[in-house]
Amino acid sequence: MSETFRVTESGQAAGRIRELVRRIAVEVFGATETEVPIPGFTVFTDRKLDDPLPGVRAALLMRSVSEAQLYDYARSARAAGRSWDEIGAVLGLPTGGVPVGEAAFDWLVCGRVPDPEREGIRSFRTPSAFWRCSTCGEQVTDDGPFESHPTDNETGHADSCARHRADLAAWAELTGWDE
């Protein structure tokens, strides 16, 4: 699929989201709308909310739901074996000098935006994400990609979990240490 095609599809999807926000403003928050002629066109009109405040409410609702979905999809991606680095690359966050996976975890799980002025400064307690591993089926506590050893970042995998065993083997090969 070409980049141009994706950009066009993204623009169309954004238009559909804007239309949905407008419809929610009308249907849920009681806004009324007017048809406004588009300058230079005789046939086409645009819809405008008579009072934009219901539009603000609708957009805020959309943002809240989207943020919750973003967190849920990130947890699902982790459960499916994706790394915090992969998630961070998709998010395109400013990293403030920290690795992209750490920035993604900080933003999604801890609610912290990377800040170049505070590079390397973290609170003593980092919130955890919880997800069910798609390989072993166990509930995993994910403390983020901050430590070297996989067990210091994730706990709860079954001892026989192929995914966790592979992470441990990769760590041992990278460091030259025993698991």
Side-chain angles (χ1 to χ4, degrees):
M1 181 183 305
S2 75
E3 190 63 32
T4 304
F5 185 70
R6 275 185 282 218
V7 170
T8 302
E9 281 188 335
S10 294
Q12 290 171 347
R16 289 175 28 210
I17 292 168
R18 282 190 294 277
E19 174 65 15
L20 182 57
V21 170
R22 187 198 54 74
R23 283 182 37 216
I24 291 170
V26 171
E27 295 170 13
V28 176
F29 295 107
T32 55
E33 56 188 353
T34 336
E35 295 276 330
V36 179
I38 298 175
F41 293 92
T42 56
V43 179
F44 298 107
T45 60
D46 195 9
R47 294 183 182 147
K48 180 181 176 204
L49 298 179
D50 293 335
D51 178 6
L53 199 54
V56 171
R57 287 187 176 107
L60 182 60
L61 176 63
M62 179 74 76
R63 183 179 78 178
S64 297
V65 170
S66 294
E67 286 173 353
Q69 283 293 113
L70 180 60
Y71 177 72
D72 288 346
Y73 279 122
R75 285 185 346 169
S76 295
R78 289 291 295 130
R82 298 298 191 141
S83 70
W84 281 111
D85 284 339
E86 289 175 291
I87 294 166
V90 170
L91 293 172
L93 295 170
T95 63
V98 301
V100 68
E102 291 181 21
F105 186 88
D106 271 350
W107 184 60
L108 286 168
V109 178
C110 306
R112 294 187 293 244
V113 177
D115 181 357
E117 300 295 319
R118 297 176 43 104
E119 185 173 329
I121 299 173
R122 289 198 165 30
S123 65
F124 289 104
R125 185 186 174 288
T126 298
S128 300
F130 303 93
W131 39 268
R132 190 155 305 278
C133 178
S134 61
T135 304
C136 68
E138 295 296 322
Q139 179 79 22
V140 174
T141 302
D142 186 336
D143 293 321
F146 303 111
E147 303 300 329
S148 168
H149 197 279
T151 303
D152 293 334
N153 293 325
E154 297 175 12
T155 56
H157 288 282
D159 290 338
S160 61
C161 180
R163 170 187 172 179
H164 191 59
R165 301 295 316 152
D167 287 347
L168 290 170
W171 176 85
E173 185 175 322
L174 179 69
T175 64
W177 296 346
D178 292 333
E179 293 178 18

